[in-house]
Amino acid sequence: SQKIEQNSEALNIQEGKTATLTCNYTNYSPAYLQWYRQDPGRGPVFLLLIRENEKEKRKERLKVTFDTTLKQSLFHITASQPADSATYLCAPPRADKLIFGTGTRLQVFP
Amino acid sequence: KAGVTQTPRYLIKTRGQQVTLSCSPISGHRSVSWYQQTPGQGLQFLFEYFSETQRNKGNFPGRFSGRQFSNSRSEMNVSTLELGDSALYLCASSVGQGGYEQYFGPGTRLTVT
């Protein structure tokens, strides 16, 4: 069955550094992949969608890559700020159903 | 534009009871999806409705059901509640099926005792 793995449960980085989160998927080939941010007690918020024919996509301080050969997506936050602290979820769909990873909890400390 | 709204926000039920949760999508959105989120299993897809028809279903027992009305509002129902049904139930709307970003509501926190 399909499996989504995000690199670690938690990632702690210092303010101003670049945070890099990893999403690996197995046993299927999604046509696109989405990234969401979730704060405690709230629903996820859509951040970026990248399609299989796009190698990279950017939005302000966010950058996503999509390597269909490695079956991996990388999510970067440059010049990270404490306000970026949240859980980040990747979601590569299968048969039009979004399959969410378990998430990486990012903590940016001053 | 108003966001996705879910009612109630919190609910406490007893094992064996049933519960109905409600979701109002963003105006103009025709697709509504439901998810269950627990600490152990993460965010899991329950089902998706589009134009009042269930288009997709996750791997949940038949105790979980839903429906969508002509105004795109949706309800989900869980019958014969079990302790393991305690979770945050999230509704998300999108403009169409597949390939579109989803806009999530704040969720309904269900506790089964």
Side-chain angles (χ1 to χ4, degrees), chain A residues 19-63:
Chain A
T20 298
L21 286 63
T22 304
C23 175
N24 294 295
Y25 55 93
T26 56
N27 297 330
Y28 72 115
S29 299
Y32 62 92
L33 187 147
Q34 300 185 15
W35 282 89
Y36 288 79
R37 167 187 172 139
Q38 186 173 25
D39 291 283
R42 294 174 174 260
V45 174
F46 171 79
L47 294 174
L48 282 166
L49 182 155
I50 185 167
R51 300 190 184 278
E52 59 183 342
N53 61 346
E54 298 174 309
K55 294 298 182 189
E56 178 181 300
K57 200 153 191 181
R58 292 175 185 262
K59 179 182 174 183
E60 298 173 353
R61 294 184 296 109
L62 309 180
K63 185 180 87 171

Side-chain angles (χ1 to χ4, degrees), chain B residues 14-67:
Chain B
T14 305
R15 263 182 307 176
Q17 288 185 313
Q18 74 164 17
V19 67
T20 298
L21 312 181
S22 181
C23 171
S24 292
I26 291 172
S27 177
H29 285 193
R30 296 171 62 191
S31 172
V32 173
S33 298
W34 287 90
Y35 297 84
Q36 180 195 67
Q37 187 171 35
T38 59
Q41 298 296 318
L43 199 58
Q44 292 188 287
F45 173 82
L46 280 158
F47 27 66
E48 179 192 9
Y49 286 86
F50 183 82
S51 294
E52 302 179 63
T53 302
Q54 188 180 90
R55 303 290 180 162
N56 237 323
K57 191 177 189 308
N59 191 25
F60 278 82
R63 299 185 297 106
F64 292 81
S65 63
R67 59 177 175 167

Side-chain angles (χ1 to χ4, degrees), chain A residues 61-82:
Chain A
R61 294 184 296 109
L62 309 180
K63 185 180 87 171
V64 172
T65 63
F66 192 11
D67 189 325
T68 56
T69 302
L70 290 179
K71 291 188 181 293
Q72 180 183 80
S73 175
L74 298 180
F75 179 83
H76 307 270
I77 305 176
T78 57
S80 58
Q81 305 166 1

